[in-house]
Amino acid sequence: MTTTSLWFGNYDVAVVVWVSLVLWVSALDNGLGRAPPMGWNSWNTFHCQVNQKLIIQTAQQIKAWKLDQLGYRYVNIDDCWMSMTRDNGKLVADPQRFPNGMKWMGDYLHEQGLLFGIYSSAGVRTCAGYPASLGHERVDAQTFADWGVDYLKYDNCFNLQQPSIVRYAAMRNALNATGRPILYSLCQWGTEQSWQWAASMGNTWRTTGDIEPHWSSIVGCFWQSQQQHADQSRPGAWLDPDMMEVGNGNLTWVENKSHFSLWILAKAPLLLGNDLSQLTPELFSIISNRELIDIHQDPDTPQATCYVGCDKTNWCAPNVDGEHIIHESDFYICNPTTTTTATTKDDEPCGHSHHNNNNHNNNNNDEDYSILATTRKGKHDNVIVALIINWHDTETLQLQTWNAVQILGVAPFPNQRVMIRDLWKHASVRKQSRGGDRMVIDNDDDNDDDDDDDDDKFTFDDLQHVPIPPLAPHDCLVYSFTTIPAVAAVASNSIGGILDE
């Protein structure tokens, strides 16, 4: 058995040895989370104003908009659902909020073809101060199983400063012992070097503090997760930069679109956090992008790698004190590999930096834009999916062409061509004309991949001159690049240099 350096504060060697044995002997093997989970969670909009009526109405909206057919099936009840006291040692629902109880609630959701998610914390109290599961792991896990729970979000508040690795392993083992597959979501905030052990604990694991519905928070959560831990993401153990804020706060349509795109490429859980009774066709057009969802739900498509504009070290990483209510107070460190305790700083959600509250474009080590890309299996061969995003708060991004597209692995041989598709316009990029170093392109509104149509096929030389549309502040585009043989007789159509870094 190999050893690894993990943080255990002042805990003695016996605890460290015991934890090493826990990791070696047991692991999460529930067969769940082969693709990142999709659904809805109550916290971001409703906080403690959660009740049976809300959950029923939300389930009805999911069915009415056919969100379940897109993959949004988990309906997750966050904090504040429980009574302030246990009944014979067991957690019970607040009778005013959930008069029919949680078993009835789970049965109702299952009858709708949906899945039932619930919340607790690896501490003596939840973040809102309700009874939690530290020391009650086996009885609580069995209670959840008896209720038909399909998903457990397990928070980190009031944890008595006990090592996370011990507390989260205890609930993992308790869930395994019930015999019921329950997706296990670690809301551990990315502390105590969780990237070294969390993948053996949960199907998803938080890498950040809490997100809030404004652009700087969304960007901060994304970068903290992406920059530190992207290589740890895999089927059954996905990174979690927190639930989505699409449709919340004062986010613009462009910011909602970019937020959704970033979470897609990050292979993050797609958990809606908005009031679905207020869902508009415009917002629905974002969260229902089937082409992006298909990429997100493909287990063989890895989390995207950053290729351009990747140095975001001036974004401070949030951390939190386990004895404080994290939904109200966060504090920050600029080295996320360090675990510490500090005075809380109110009203600074995930992603704020101390020196710059909103506009991070003045950071000397920041690019004006970033390019991230991943690869997936396609009709012809591997398909490159690339995102370009404009970080500017006020300026439109004017990139000239895809003249560096080969860094993404799009480097067709002379006998190959590349088809480009705009995954937000749902249209192929087509050539109209070319003059010198500039090419005029157009989008075809249909979904036709007709191999006999040459105006949507680009040579390697063409790719150096394909213009990139201007991007408004905070906007993004997502393109797919499919390399195909130039003629049917060509036997090989492999992409050279395909994202193998």
Side-chain angles (χ1 to χ4, degrees), residues 60-72 284 290:
Q60 292 172 344
Q61 290 296 320
I62 289 173
K63 301 296 289 187
W65 287 93
K66 299 183 179 179
L67 291 171
D68 54 326
Q69 297 181 24
L70 292 166
Y72 297 97
F284 179 75
R290 172 62 77 178

Side-chain angles (χ1 to χ4, degrees), residues 215 222-223 257-266 292 304-308 369-374 384-391 397 399 402 408 423-424 468 471 474-481:
W215 182 244
F222 171 78
W223 276 119
K257 167 193 163 188
S258 294
H259 177 12
F260 187 80
S261 301
L262 289 169
W263 262 234
I264 289 283
L265 271 291
L292 292 184
T305 298
C306 184
Y307 286 84
V308 175
Y369 66 97
S370 293
I371 302 178
L372 300 98
T374 187
I384 305 297
V385 180
L387 174 146
I388 300 181
I389 187 164
N390 179 11
W391 300 122
L397 179 67
L399 294 178
W402 284 95
L408 306 179
L423 300 186
W424 274 109
I468 298 175
L471 284 176
H474 304 168
D475 199 3
C476 75
L477 62 81
V478 184
Y479 277 5
S480 66
F481 298 85

Side-chain angles (χ1 to χ4, degrees), residues 7 156 159 164 167-168 188-198 206-208 224 229 318-321 331 333 336-340:
W7 180 90
N156 196 25
N159 55 45
S164 289
R167 293 178 288 112
Y168 284 91
Q188 191 269 346
W189 320 327
T191 62
E192 300 179 46
Q193 299 182 20
S194 58
W195 52 93
Q196 295 188 11
W197 52 265
R206 273 279 289 280
T207 49
T208 70
Q224 185 185 349
H229 316 302
N319 202 342
V320 284
D321 184 342
F331 67 83
I333 55 174
T337 63
T338 303
T339 300
T340 183

